[in-house]
Amino acid sequence: MDLIQSMREKASQKYATIVLPEGTEERTVQAAQIISKEKIAKVILLGEKSQVEAVAQKTNTDLSEVTIINPTESDKFKQYAQALYELRKNKGLTEEDAVNLTKNPLYFGALMVNSGDADGMVAGAQNTTGDVLRPALQIIKTEKGISSVSGAFIMIVPNCELGSNGIFVFADCAVNPNPTAEQLAEIAYLSAKTAIKLVGIEEPKVGMLSFSTKGSAKHELVDKVIEATKIAQERYPELAIDGELQLDAAIVPKVGSSKAPGSKVAGQVNVLVFPDLQAGNIGYKLVQRLAKAEAIGPVLQGMNKPVNDLSRGCSVEDIVNTVAMTVLQC
Ligand code: ACO
């Protein structure tokens, strides 16, 4: 069974509740039908009921097993607005601001997850990454002991024997534009956890990527990766992590053994940690477009409760798969 099918089946065993705030978006409405029919999750769509139903009618979609909630008519509206005010009043948020923000389905969805009325949230078919992330970061925040949320992609590369039989985790490809060495070390740890939890890779091998391998180039950008590797190795001694490595030294066994002899991971890396968001975002899209890899994500790692973002170019199937992945993070 392939990874995606297995994620969908595992999700249906958990059968968590996922809120989809973009309830009047066509692909989201179509995905809601598949998710509920396949029992991947219990779905809540946010939006004005007649508008959601009009989209369902237009797309010939059956929403009989889906819950529709209009935020402004919800019994919980006042409670959520008050919760938001309490969470953000020390940041200067007024009660009036809190009421206005709670009308925004992305905030309402994050408040549902924070209060336990939903187990996770998926959005981004209509909204930018920043707009999806901001309410989640402000309300749900990071898990205990984690300073930064980051975004990983599970890359499934066809006809590829590298990595874990062609499967890799790439990070950070979505959130932190210019991570510090400390943040990079944490991204390495969270990405290894994602590889174990979502992909089933038992022994992740983490490569801290650079344009230099083991001192072949000298530059302050390389120094950051060297420092991040040192922090990660000290802080997470149980993980197999090495750096700084060029991409070929990380994933190609022959290059790894010649450029980084003695490294425990060079040539066998299946978790790629990019030095910044420009490299990570470009890198995953290159592999997706040129190698025709399946890119699942971004998986938001380090969030206190699961929230995941979609690409605005996503397909109905992408939404279904992201919901399955979100259930597995619950
Ligand atoms: N982890 C945890 N918390 C964070 C993080 C993070 N990585 N980044 C910001 N925050 C917190 C801040 O501490 C702040 O909390 P506070 O208000 O309680 O003090 C809150 O989130 C808002 O932070 P700001 O810095 O004010 O918000 P900003 O508008 O900068 O948004 C964001 C943060 C959305 C993550 C921003 O860094 C961003 O836009 N990143 C790039 C996203 C992007 O465009 N990715 C590429 C496309 S995605 C793709 O192609 C798949």
Side-chain angles (χ1 to χ4, degrees):
M1 192 191 315
D2 71 11
L3 180 65
I4 291 174
Q5 196 49 38
S6 128
M7 277 176 150
R8 281 161 78 144
E9 293 200 359
K10 280 189 198 149
S12 68
Q13 285 158 22
K14 278 196 164 182
Y15 201 40
T17 300
I18 303 297
V19 57
L20 305 177
E22 294 161 326
T24 53
E25 195 283 320
E26 286 190 13
R27 290 160 297 171
T28 304
V29 169
Q30 290 170 289
Q33 171 180 281
I34 300 172
I35 296 159
S36 50
K37 289 263 175 318
E38 286 189 23
K39 300 214 176 304
I40 293 168
K42 286 171 239 157
V43 180
I44 300 171
L45 285 175
L46 299 185
E48 213 263 297
K49 202 163 185 238
S50 65
Q51 287 178 14
V52 178
E53 283 170 350
V55 178
Q57 200 172 19
K58 186 177 163 209
T59 52
N60 202 13
T61 304
D62 171 16
L63 293 183
S64 54
E65 290 170 47
V66 170
T67 304
I68 302 170
I69 297 177
N70 180 353
T72 50
E73 286 175 5
S74 158
D75 298 344
K76 298 273 179 96
F77 184 89
K78 269 194 183 161
Q79 181 189 320
Y80 290 160
Q82 186 62 27
L84 178 58
Y85 170 66
E86 293 298 333
L87 275 171
R88 307 287 301 168
K89 64 183 178 193
N90 63 347
K91 297 273 170 182
L93 193 83
T94 64
E95 282 183 305
E96 194 187 345
D97 294 337
V99 167
N100 284 330
L101 283 176
T102 306
K103 291 178 190 160
N104 175 336
L106 295 169
Y107 274 84
F108 190 90
L111 287 159
M112 285 189 85
V113 174
N114 203 44
S115 70
D117 290 332
D119 300 306
M121 171 168 115
V122 172
Q126 245 173 352
N127 290 283
T128 63
T129 299
D131 287 346
V132 174
L133 284 183
R134 218 164 283 114
L137 294 174
Q138 291 175 354
I139 296 165
I140 299 170
K141 304 195 165 109
T142 53
E143 68 179 79
K144 203 163 168 256
I146 296 297
S147 67
S148 302
V149 168
S150 50
F153 275 88
I154 299 165
M155 304 297 297
I156 306 173
V157 187
N159 307 316
C160 173
E161 285 162 8
L162 303 176
S164 182
N165 282 324
I167 302 180
F168 297 83
V169 172
F170 284 17
D172 175 2
C173 306
V175 183
N176 301 284
N178 193 13
T180 61
E182 290 267 337
Q183 284 176 309
L184 275 182
E186 195 176 71
I187 290 166
Y189 165 71
L190 290 171
S191 306
K193 271 194 13 183
T194 294
I196 295 169
K197 194 167 175 186
L198 294 188
V199 187
I201 294 176
E202 282 173 19
E203 287 179 39
K205 295 195 166 67
V206 185
M208 307 297 279
L209 299 183
S210 173
F211 59 85
S212 166
T213 301
K214 299 284 177 188
S216 64
K218 305 259 177 268
H219 193 279
E220 64 192 53
L221 294 175
V222 178
D223 293 341
K224 180 171 92 171
V225 179
I226 294 172
E227 195 193 336
T229 306
K230 199 165 153 248
I231 297 169
Q233 286 169 334
E234 280 170 10
R235 205 170 286 167
Y236 316 110
E238 71 286 6
L239 289 179
I241 300 179
D242 204 2
E244 86 291 14
L245 295 170
Q246 285 162 286
L247 188 273
D248 54 356
I251 65 171
V252 182
K254 244 187 173 170
V255 184
S257 55
S258 87
K259 287 190 176 180
S263 166
K264 279 196 215 141
V265 307
Q268 305 163 58
V269 164
N270 46 31
V271 176
L272 302 181
V273 177
F274 291 86
D276 67 22
L277 185 54
Q278 306 224 49
N281 192 266
I282 294 167
Y284 102 79
K285 285 178 195 283
L286 268 177
V287 177
Q288 181 187 35
R289 298 290 166 178
L290 298 186
K292 305 208 180 326
E294 181 107 39
I296 308 177
V299 181
L300 292 183
Q301 6 177 75
M303 196 74 89
N304 205 16
K305 291 187 177 177
V307 172
N308 282 306
D309 177 38
L310 297 159
S311 156
R312 277 169 293 163
C314 66
S315 64
V316 173
E317 283 298 304
D318 291 336
I319 302 176
V320 175
N321 295 337
T322 304
V323 167
M325 189 179 75
T326 308
V327 171
L328 297 186
Q329 288 176 290
C330 289

